[in-house]
Amino acid sequence: SGLLTRSQTSAPTIRTLSSNSFSQNIPSCLWKLGRLNHVAIAVPDLEKAQSLYKDVLGAQVSETVALPEHGVYTVFVELENTKLELLHPLGEKSPIASFLQKSKTGGMHHICIEVDDIKAAMTELKKKKIRILSEEPKIGAHGKPVIFLHPKDCHGVLVELEQA
């Protein structure tokens, strides 16, 4: 019974945040973050990865699409609330090839978040000293403008912003 008394008296205090107190700390922007569009996963074997999601897990999986301007093959796995993007190198200069040299079995490559105004986002992020990996947006896998933010400025995560 001594153990029970001790654990009852040392229970941690749980502090909750109301939505009001949280939103008061967010500065107003000329642009807004939207929903998570996808999580991209670099894969060394695209056919095996497609098979895992389609045949083993039962997901709806797109056909393979080549995006030479980005140096990748892409496949999208449809989930109820977002997508997974499977990435495989296309060409020797592919950023995915260099990623897979470091991580032979593959892994999470980037996350993609929608924004309502990509040009305003770029302007404001530059002012806030967030490095953008291109001078202008490129057209991404969904046919919409995209930019990538430097992972060192985003706590180790490569972040893609896509025009909604």
Side-chain angles (χ1 to χ4, degrees):
S1 82
L3 180 60
L4 182 58
T5 306
R6 224 176 291 132
S7 64
Q8 286 176 334
T9 59
S10 64
T13 303
I14 298 173
R15 187 174 160 219
T16 60
L17 291 174
S18 70
S19 58
N20 286 347
S21 66
F22 182 70
S23 62
Q24 289 171 358
N25 295 328
I26 300 174
S28 62
C29 293
L30 299 175
W31 57 281
K32 288 193 323 195
L33 277 180
R35 68 184 191 93
L36 175 67
N37 185 283
H38 64 266
V39 174
I41 303 167
V43 297
D45 187 325
L46 193 54
E47 286 181 17
K48 279 186 180 178
Q50 282 176 291
S51 178
L52 168 69
Y53 288 101
K54 183 178 181 180
D55 302 329
V56 177
L57 299 176
Q60 182 180 335
V61 177
S62 76
E63 295 297 317
T64 302
V65 175
L67 296 175
E69 63 277 12
H70 293 278
V72 297
Y73 290 103
T74 65
V75 170
F76 282 95
V77 178
E78 295 288 331
L79 304 175
E80 188 174 321
N81 59 344
T82 191
K83 296 180 281 293
L84 299 178
E85 179 183 33
L86 306 179
L87 297 172
H88 187 73
L90 170 61
E92 293 173 16
K93 294 182 181 178
S94 170
I96 301 305
S98 60
F99 180 93
L100 289 172
Q101 285 174 356
K102 297 174 198 153
S103 302
K104 301 281 186 217
T105 58
M108 191 189 94
H109 184 262
H110 68 268
I111 62 169
C112 176
I113 304 171
E114 296 175 0
V115 295
D116 67 345
D117 186 337
I118 200 159
K119 289 287 195 173
M122 289 178 72
T123 300
E124 205 163 306
L125 290 167
K126 285 178 184 177
K127 286 180 187 172
K128 293 178 178 179
K129 306 290 187 227
I130 302 295
R131 290 172 283 179
I132 299 170
L133 300 181
S134 60
E135 288 300 314
E136 289 295 321
K138 294 180 181 179
I139 299 303
H142 297 114
K144 297 178 179 182
V146 300
I147 58 170
F148 286 88
L149 308 181
H150 199 295
K152 288 184 179 175
D153 298 338
C154 300
H155 305 283
V157 176
L158 179 61
V159 175
E160 177 183 20
L161 299 180
E162 178 181 281
Q163 178 71 47

